[in-house]
Amino acid sequence: MKKLFSLKMIVLVAVLNVLFYLMFIQFYFEYFPNGRPDKDAYKVVIEMQQQYGLELDEAEFEQFKLSYHERVQEAEQLMHDDPQFKKAGISTYEAFRAMDVFSDNKEWNELDRYAMFNPGIDLFWELQGREYLIEQYERRLERPYANLSNEDAAALQRMDEMVASGTLNTIFPSMIYDNFKNVMFYVYAISIISILLIVSPIFLRDRRSRVVHLQHASRIGRSLFRSKLIAALLSAVLIISIQLGCIFLLYSQQPGIELFYEAPINSAFNFPYFWYDLTFAQFIMLTVAVLYVLGLITALAAAFFSSISANYMALVALQIPYIYLITQPLSRVLIEELIMLYKPKYAQPLAYGLFIAIVASLLAYRWHRERKGDLLL
């Protein structure tokens, strides 16, 4: 591990991680929630959680709708007092919402820009956020079935269980789930790249230094294959732990996140739905566990690539397809769509099992060659 974590490699990986963060991850911390009315809906959900808790019953929902109508009255009072609305002949919120802003009516276009993009007026964005939340809660028992096939009996049964249990009365917001999923995808990508960079020279360095024959000439030298694999796995754990520590330190600063750690991710305000009843905190732990598994698989794959490569060009040629495969077509199955209801329930465990079996088989074959191979081969 000391050889793997040379000062040069530490600096290289650190610089790469910082650049990757600035290019891809920082955006999701600086702009959360991203855009409007998501920003306003998220603010309203936080107020709901503080007032009603993580679950909303029918009486509380009626009270929430009443607060929406009170805000509409405030908006109409603003319209009554504001000369811009008087000029356009708009005096009710219903009339404002009915305006065709894509028409040639210049007064309507100017009024829409004034009401929605004036820094001093946030009320109309807030009303749109409240309308979205009301619609989602009212459709919470019908919406989940919209994308389900009648032939998918297991998914339909799972949805029936969620509807019957009342878990869809909870108010975990989709903005948190989407933000976390996007952040973790990039953490997943940079972790894979960092592990490959650190672990890849583990066998190739000795081959280029021409010490392989010296190692094979002793019993201890032949057992170095196992020692190097252990070093590769420990290195992967260390890299991921440091990266996750930095990311979660930043993630914990996101406003309002701490209010929803105990909220079920199957919620009236979240999409998609999931095979298991997990809280957001449990879902975070599951995602972290999956990242460690993928990191260990990558460490083993990197060790295998290193053991069969004659030079660094050959090593890079093996790594590029692997990086593409694991971050593009396989990323949806392995991490992005984790335990989603609209995917086969056992697809991900089977994918991980197959992935592990392939890498383990290749390494077992290579280890056998290392232990039994002739020095002249």
Side-chain angles (χ1 to χ4, degrees):
M1 289 181 68
K2 288 181 180 180
K3 292 181 179 180
L4 293 178
F5 288 93
S6 65
L7 180 60
K8 182 172 63 175
M9 289 303 298
I10 291 174
V11 171
L12 174 62
V13 171
V15 170
L16 177 64
N17 276 261
V18 170
L19 291 176
F20 200 90
Y21 169 79
L22 294 175
M23 292 174 62
F24 301 107
I25 303 177
Q26 185 181 30
F27 172 85
Y28 295 101
F29 289 121
E30 290 190 352
Y31 300 97
F32 170 75
N34 180 24
R36 310 188 80 171
D38 279 2
K39 175 181 177 181
D40 306 89
Y42 182 64
K43 181 180 177 181
V44 173
V45 173
I46 290 177
E47 294 176 358
M48 292 173 68
Q49 193 279 339
Q50 293 172 337
Q51 185 173 0
Y52 305 118
L54 294 174
E55 186 173 343
L56 197 67
D57 60 29
E58 289 298 332
E60 291 168 336
F61 180 57
E62 292 299 322
Q63 185 178 351
F64 176 72
K65 289 197 294 184
L66 180 61
S67 67
Y68 162 74
H69 292 300
E70 291 173 352
R71 297 295 279 169
V72 169
Q73 292 176 3
E74 293 180 25
E76 292 181 342
Q77 183 61 46
L78 185 151
M79 295 177 188
H80 182 268
D81 299 335
D82 195 303
Q84 291 281 357
F85 286 91
K86 292 180 180 180
K87 179 182 177 182
I90 301 296
S91 59
T92 65
Y93 181 68
E94 183 178 354
F96 175 76
R97 292 287 282 157
M99 289 191 315
D100 185 2
V101 296
F102 298 103
S103 68
D104 295 329
N105 191 315
K106 184 178 179 181
E107 290 183 344
W108 284 358
N109 293 332
E110 291 179 353
L111 180 62
D112 181 71
R113 287 194 296 269
Y114 170 75
M116 306 306 290
F117 300 103
N118 188 325
I121 304 177
D122 289 328
L123 183 55
F124 295 99
W125 284 116
E126 179 191 327
L127 288 173
Q128 287 191 23
R130 288 178 178 269
E131 290 163 8
Y132 167 78
L133 295 175
I134 289 173
E135 178 186 4
Q136 293 300 302
Y137 193 84
E138 288 178 338
R139 297 181 58 242
R140 70 192 186 282
L141 302 183
E142 296 81 23
R143 188 181 69 248
Y145 294 96
N147 296 321
L148 286 179
S149 169
N150 290 331
E151 299 177 357
D152 195 346
L156 287 171
Q157 181 181 357
R158 169 63 183 149
M159 191 57 67
D160 290 340
E161 292 173 359
M162 284 194 290
V163 170
S165 67
T167 187
L168 297 183
N169 294 340
T170 55
I171 59 173
F172 177 72
S174 61
M175 291 76 78
I176 292 180
Y177 171 77
D178 292 336
N179 178 263
F180 177 76
K181 183 180 72 171
N182 291 329
V183 168
M184 289 307 296
F185 169 76
Y186 288 111
V187 173
Y188 155 77
I190 191 57
S191 296
I192 297 303
I193 295 171
S194 299
I195 292 169
L196 286 173
L197 281 174
I198 291 290
V199 175
S200 290
I202 195 166
F203 288 102
L204 183 57
R205 183 183 289 116
D206 285 349
R207 188 176 298 109
R208 289 177 58 84
S209 301
R210 302 184 184 277
V211 298
V212 174
H213 285 66
L214 183 61
Q215 292 173 353
H216 282 200
S218 69
R219 183 184 304 173
I220 295 177
R222 287 178 180 263
S223 68
L224 284 177
F225 190 91
R226 181 179 60 186
S227 300
K228 289 180 179 181
L229 290 184
I230 295 173
L233 294 175
L234 293 176
S235 299
V237 171
L238 179 60
I239 292 168
I240 293 174
S241 298
I242 294 173
Q243 290 173 328
L244 287 176
C246 295
I247 287 297
F248 282 123
L249 181 62
L250 295 170
Y251 189 75
S252 63
Q253 307 303 313
Q254 298 283 68
I257 291 289
E258 70 282 355
L259 299 175
F260 297 97
Y261 284 137
E262 299 304 318
I265 55 175
N266 291 302
S267 162
F269 298 152
N270 191 31
F271 181 86
Y273 304 96
F274 305 90
W275 283 105
Y276 306 103
D277 291 319
L278 301 181
T279 64
F280 182 48
Q282 291 170 335
F283 183 76
I284 290 175
M285 289 187 284
L286 175 63
T287 306
V288 168
V290 165
L291 180 57
Y292 274 107
V293 171
L294 289 172
L296 295 177
I297 292 173
T298 299
L300 295 177
F304 175 75
F305 296 151
S306 182
S307 71
I308 64 173
S309 299
N311 52 57
Y312 284 105
M313 291 297 294
L315 183 60
V316 171
L318 290 171
Q319 288 178 344
I320 290 176
Y322 178 84
I323 293 173
Y324 172 78
L325 182 69
I326 202 170
T327 59
Q328 292 298 325
L330 289 181
S331 67
R332 298 179 68 88
V333 176
L334 295 176
I335 198 166
E336 288 186 82
E337 298 177 347
L338 201 60
I339 64 171
M340 282 188 185
L341 185 62
Y342 302 107
K343 301 298 177 181
K345 187 174 184 179
Y346 299 107
Q348 287 160 336
L350 289 174
Y352 280 107
L354 180 62
F355 207 177
I356 293 171
I358 291 173
V359 174
S361 299
L362 292 173
L363 280 172
Y365 169 75
R366 190 62 188 171
W367 191 357
H368 177 76
R369 290 290 303 272
E370 288 287 328
R371 295 177 63 192
K372 304 297 183 181
D374 194 301
L375 292 178
L376 298 178
L377 291 179

